[in-house]
Amino acid sequence: MKDVLIDRVTKIFGADSSAPFTALHDISLDIKGGEFLSLLGPSGCGKSTLLRCIAGLETPTTGNVLVGGGGARPGFDNIGFVFQGSNLLPWLSVLDNVLYPARVKSRSTVEQYRDRAHELLEQVGLSHVANQRPESLSGGMQQRAGIARGLVMDPDILLMDEPFSALDAMTREELQFELVRLHQETGKTFIFVTHAISEAIFLSSRIAVMEAFPGRISQLIDVEFEYPRTLDLLNSKQAIDIDAAIRASIYGEAKTQAQTDR
Amino acid sequence: MPMRPVILPIISLAVLLLAWELYVWIFAVPSYLLPAPSAIWASGTQIIGAVPIHTWATLFTVLAGFAVSVAVAIPLGVIISVNRLASEAIYPLLVFANAIPVIAVAPIIVVMLGTGIEARLVINFLVCFFPIMVATAAGILDTPKDYLDLGKSTGAGFMTGLLTIRMPHATPFIFSGLKIGITLSVIGAVVGEFITSNRGLGYLIVSSTTNFDLAQAMFSVVVLAFMSVILFQIVQFAQKLWFPWSIKANGMG
């Protein structure tokens, strides 16, 4: 199982412009194989940017992201990416969407992965709509297909950028359970971006709490509940303490920020 | 299927034709000024033997000109949308070329290329390539960033990204361009035939009006209109057949 090593990563947007924006400031983080790590923080804290740096969609201004000892490159087979909207291509069937990462390699790769794609669709409960187009699916089903697509090339690491933020509360809970199950079944490293505290506590084995202006990691919290988890754990003393610690970290800081602004 | 959308326009048309017929009959308008619908029909039946030859001549120019336009305009649209340098270098020229009224350059083209099919093809091309090219470029440029990120995150190179993401996304745009293009192609063919031809519906119109045979000219116009509508429907049908997902995407059937 591959580790992800984030080594002093700084990302400045518009570095040569008159108004450069520091999205990430000197971030170092070691993510172990098989971990379920959440990047949690308010908007503007750079959590998505950090995820995109790991995926190779952004290049750090300084510093490095190392995936399993090598540099993260776009299309690195080791990485699957699940987008915020399901981001399915409307002209492909659900099955062909799941197979898209294989299609990018070659047409013959598609044939190799066809069985696996069917298996994954079975796993996320979408076998019956494999040949339909995404537009006929509900938001939750679309996002399930998005997750299946992220897993199709059997990557060691699955990156998820607020995948449930557009879903209704009930679908969201349902998918959280499924995600934990998938994590247990596959043993892959899951890196999950969210701004929902309870979601992060329920899902993760570790939470990196981030702060904005400039984006940085303010706290690393281990969430030591056994898997499989039930929603009851959110009412436990331990979860309430974690919740409080995260809120203090995020809102306490925001208050200080507001005061210095004044 | 509800019949109303079919029947209503037929009734309106019938009323219009009847009013026209009565007007000509009541005021005894001479047929060299305004032929009655019945006269146009009669004239059509007289020349019916010659109509297929002229229709085919025009149709050939329309289809050949359209084919050349599509073959040039789509790749050109792709190039100017993905390559900044190419876009800056040639787009202004293309806009300028499109701004020239084709009817004005048509006689020049005939002198340069002669009175054969080549001149008519060039005239046709000048009328119909631009909307197809612009539609293609607009479609390519409209590709959502998320789709491009998907390509990037799966390691798609430029060509793979173009073929699997940008072009499919541009398809509904391209078809909008093709629908405009095929209609303009009919106009282009007629302009070409006005200037230089001894065959075709455009030629038939010119030669009929020279003889004040308005009935025959108008009959030719009707045939042209039908040709235009049928070609448009064929493009639409092709889109429905091969790219059904692209119909809803831009809201234009």
Side-chain angles (χ1 to χ4, degrees):
Chain A
M1 206 47 56
K2 302 288 170 56
D3 291 13
V4 179
L5 185 64
I6 297 162
D7 183 26
R8 284 166 295 162
V9 163
T10 293
K11 176 73 189 178
I12 300 167
F13 287 107
D16 9 305
S17 76
S18 57
F21 175 73
T22 307
L24 298 171
H25 178 70
D26 197 27
I27 289 189
S28 292
L29 183 64
D30 189 0
I31 303 164
K32 290 177 191 59
E35 209 177 343
F36 197 130
L37 178 95
S38 284
L39 300 171
L40 173 71
S43 31
C45 73
K47 51 193 191 299
S48 289
T49 307
L50 184 57
L51 195 78
R52 292 169 61 84
C53 283
I54 301 172
L57 290 175
E58 303 282 355
T59 315
T61 310
T62 61
N64 283 307
V65 177
L66 303 170
V67 177
R73 292 185 297 274
F76 207 52
D77 281 354
N78 254 334
I79 289 177
F81 200 97
V82 180
F83 291 83
Q84 185 166 9
S86 57
N87 201 19
L88 300 174
L89 302 172
W91 53 87
L92 296 179
S93 68
V94 172
L95 178 66
D96 287 337
N97 263 291
V98 171
L99 280 166
Y100 182 78
R103 169 66 188 84
V104 165
K105 299 254 172 301
S106 72
R107 283 183 198 280
S108 55
T109 319
V110 172
E111 294 314 312
Q112 279 171 40
Y113 282 87
R114 195 169 287 274
D115 290 343
R116 178 168 167 76
H118 276 296
E119 256 169 56
L120 280 166
L121 284 175
E122 179 87 50
Q123 258 182 303
V124 296
L126 291 180
S127 301
H128 61 296
V129 292
N131 294 317
Q132 290 182 22
R133 292 197 193 281
E135 60 172 13
S136 64
L137 271 58
S138 69
M141 289 164 100
Q142 291 188 11
Q143 199 47 279
R144 284 193 176 97
I147 293 170
R149 179 176 61 191
L151 289 168
V152 73
M153 301 306 282
D154 202 15
D156 289 325
I157 300 155
L158 187 66
L159 305 175
M160 288 164 279
D161 189 4
E162 302 195 39
F164 305 151
S165 60
L167 303 178
D168 65 84
M170 287 177 142
T171 311
R172 188 172 182 148
E173 242 169 45
E174 212 179 299
L175 279 180
Q176 287 169 357
F177 275 108
E178 280 186 35
L179 198 60
V180 169
R181 184 172 56 79
L182 276 174
H183 180 239
Q184 290 305 295
E185 281 172 12
T186 59
K188 297 180 190 303
T189 311
F190 279 24
I191 305 177
F192 188 92
V193 165
T194 181
H195 54 244
I197 298 175
S198 60
E199 181 171 75
I201 297 175
F202 177 69
L203 294 172
S204 335
S205 56
R206 198 153 62 117
I207 301 172
V209 183
M210 296 183 68
E211 274 171 26
F213 315 116
R216 62 200 183 279
I217 293 175
S218 60
Q219 261 196 79
L220 280 168
I221 299 173
D222 287 312
V223 186
E224 289 159 339
F225 295 108
E226 288 295 314
Y227 291 100
R229 294 176 172 182
T230 60
L231 282 171
D232 292 345
L233 74 83
L234 291 175
N235 300 322
S236 70
K237 169 85 173 66
Q238 203 183 344
I240 291 166
D241 288 347
I242 294 173
D243 187 283
I246 293 170
R247 279 174 207 280
S249 172
I250 294 169
Y251 300 120
E253 195 63 29
K255 206 184 274 171
T256 336
Q257 183 80 30
Q259 275 160 2
T260 42
D261 282 355
R262 229 181 283 141
Chain B
M1 195 179 129
M3 290 307 287
R4 210 170 73 177
V6 182
I7 292 171
L8 275 184
I10 292 178
I11 294 175
S12 322
L13 182 67
V15 170
L16 186 74
L17 290 178
L18 194 66
W20 180 351
E21 187 79 40
L22 286 173
Y23 176 84
V24 171
W25 185 67
I26 291 168
F27 295 97
V29 185
S31 79
Y32 58 82
L33 290 181
L34 182 67
S38 59
I40 296 171
W41 178 255
S43 160
T45 52
Q46 272 170 27
I47 56 160
I48 201 72
V51 166
I53 300 164
H54 291 294
T55 307
W56 167 244
T58 305
L59 188 63
F60 179 80
T61 312
V62 169
L63 293 179
F66 183 66
V68 173
S69 302
V70 170
V72 175
I74 293 181
L76 208 57
V78 171
I79 290 167
I80 62 167
S81 61
V82 297
N83 187 310
R84 182 96 179 260
L85 191 70
S87 160
E88 284 170 3
I90 60 179
Y91 189 66
L93 302 187
L94 294 170
V95 172
F96 191 74
N98 184 58
I100 300 171
V102 170
I103 193 86
V105 279
I108 301 172
I109 291 167
V110 170
V111 172
M112 287 163 67
L113 295 176
T115 55
I117 182 79
E118 297 88 349
R120 289 201 295 280
L121 283 185
V122 169
I123 292 166
N124 194 295
F125 171 80
L126 285 176
V127 186
C128 90
F129 90 98
F130 196 75
I132 301 173
M133 182 196 73
V134 171
T136 305
I140 298 272
L141 290 173
D142 183 72
T143 312
K145 187 171 173 296
D146 270 1
Y147 291 179
L148 298 175
D149 276 350
L150 171 67
K152 219 172 153 190
S153 76
T154 52
F158 174 76
M159 272 316 278
T160 311
L162 185 67
L163 292 176
T164 63
I165 291 181
R166 289 180 193 260
M167 285 303 280
H169 177 78
T171 301
F173 293 79
I174 294 174
F175 266 96
S176 299
L178 293 180
K179 286 176 204 165
I180 299 169
I182 193 73
T183 316
L184 288 178
S185 183
V186 174
I187 297 176
V190 172
V191 169
E193 286 167 356
F194 277 1
I195 306 291
T196 163
S197 187
N198 48 19
R199 220 182 290 157
L201 294 166
Y203 161 79
L204 200 57
I205 292 169
V206 173
S207 65
S208 317
T209 47
T210 325
N211 302 325
F212 289 94
D213 189 349
L214 282 201
Q216 190 173 310
M218 284 189 176
F219 183 79
S220 312
V221 170
V222 172
V223 174
L224 268 175
F226 271 103
M227 180 191 288
S228 199
V229 169
I230 290 167
L231 289 172
F232 181 91
Q233 294 295 338
I234 289 173
V235 173
Q236 179 132 310
F237 180 73
Q239 184 180 12
K240 267 189 193 143
L241 190 65
W242 290 314
F243 308 95
W245 48 266
S246 70
I247 302 283
K248 230 172 112 185
N250 66 352
M252 300 229 325

